[in-house]
Amino acid sequence: MRSREDKNWELIGDVLAAESSGKSPRLFSSRRTLFGIPSALDQELEALSNRAAEEAAVAKGLQPAGMGAPAAAPEDSWRAPQKAHQVQHPLEPVFDEHSRVLVLGTMPSPKSRETGFYYNHPQNRFWRAMAALFDEELPKTNDEKRALCLRHGIALWDVLAECTIKGASDGSIADAVPNDISWLLGKAPIEAIFCTGAKAAELYGKLCEPLTHMAATRLPSTSPANAATSLPQLIEAYQAILPYCR
């Protein structure tokens, strides 16, 4: 003779099968009231159901509501993990015959590559810092940003011509191939080089300085990922470029 537990498990299987097929809208309350399943089992089944719902929401690009997610979860917490991609630098360097200071990042972010100019993520603070340094209005278009740099003798480029990277994560960079910084130094009267962030400075020192024979000064990253550095602190740090600007 089958025990009550055997019957319960048989009924559970029927309910799960019905729910999987979309034929049953009823969830755990029906299992509890009809089958008398122990509360520990209820919790385990509910956790499994929640995980399945979360996975379905992630697949659809939605953030589930009421799933018990922490209130302080980052806005990207429901996005699928980014994969590393081989990326080639798509932007021309910004410079002219008056450029005396070269500012280098690592590699343009996905948003910068999409919009066609440097530091173009809407939360990147580079352009706010530049506007404050020169007491100018915040440039909005790519042409306005380029004009600001050239007006003050600033050249823009990046350390890398190619690399493998996950999104905009400098920490994930691999297979790095440097830009020909020496070529640019032969085209413009650059007197000082600054790198925006630790990774840019590290890669420049390793891959470029042996060829340029010009050391670079590390500045804090203006990326939103560098939340520990405030905008006033960035503005103060970037004053280091002013002696070379017009």
Side-chain angles (χ1 to χ4, degrees):
M1 180 178 295
R2 292 183 301 166
S3 67
R4 178 178 180 82
E5 183 178 357
D6 290 335
K7 293 179 181 179
N8 282 342
W9 280 113
E10 182 177 331
L11 289 170
I12 291 169
D14 291 340
V15 172
L16 291 175
E19 290 180 356
S20 297
S21 66
K23 295 179 180 180
S24 173
R26 304 196 65 176
L27 295 172
F28 299 99
S29 60
S30 63
R31 296 175 194 159
R32 292 190 185 100
T33 56
L34 295 178
F35 310 142
I37 302 171
S39 59
L41 181 56
D42 283 336
Q43 294 172 359
E44 182 178 354
L45 291 172
E46 189 163 7
L48 289 172
S49 179
N50 284 345
R51 283 199 294 272
E54 292 170 5
E55 290 171 0
V58 168
K60 294 179 181 179
L62 302 174
Q63 178 166 342
M67 301 297 294
E75 64 178 23
D76 291 343
S77 61
W78 293 106
R79 293 180 183 173
Q82 293 180 315
K83 295 181 179 180
H85 295 285
Q86 191 74 13
V87 176
Q88 292 186 341
H89 197 294
L91 307 180
E92 293 293 327
V94 174
F95 71 98
D96 64 13
E97 67 274 15
H98 303 295
S99 300
R100 295 175 56 203
V101 56
L102 173 60
V103 178
L104 298 171
T106 48
M107 174 66 74
S109 69
K111 180 58 69 174
S112 290
R113 299 197 300 269
E114 175 189 333
T115 57
F117 207 68
Y118 298 88
Y119 307 103
N120 258 5
H121 188 287
Q123 294 177 350
N124 194 297
R125 297 162 292 171
F126 181 84
W127 296 111
R128 278 177 274 174
M130 292 297 103
L133 281 180
F134 299 109
D135 194 24
E136 294 195 15
E137 292 185 3
L138 180 67
K140 297 179 180 179
T141 68
N142 292 348
D143 286 343
E144 289 175 352
K145 294 169 184 177
R146 181 181 290 103
L148 184 154
C149 289
L150 297 180
R151 188 161 56 248
H152 295 289
I154 299 170
L156 293 181
W157 209 12
D158 287 308
V159 174
L160 299 183
E162 186 177 343
C163 69
T164 301
I165 188 171
K166 295 180 180 179
S169 172
D170 279 358
S172 70
I173 288 175
D175 308 318
V177 177
N179 271 317
D180 188 359
I181 306 298
S182 296
W183 168 83
L184 191 150
L185 297 181
K187 296 288 185 179
I190 300 297
E191 298 178 7
I193 299 175
F194 294 85
C195 292
T196 59
K199 193 65 175 181
E202 174 194 332
L203 291 169
Y204 176 86
K206 178 181 178 181
L207 301 176
C208 302
E209 189 174 343
L211 300 175
T212 64
H213 306 292
M214 183 181 292
T217 299
R218 171 184 164 184
L219 295 173
S221 172
T222 58
S223 165
N226 182 24
T229 304
S230 67
L231 179 59
Q233 290 171 325
L234 289 173
I235 294 169
E236 181 179 1
Y238 276 68
Q239 289 178 7
I241 74 172
L242 291 178
Y244 306 96
C245 295
R246 300 169 64 186

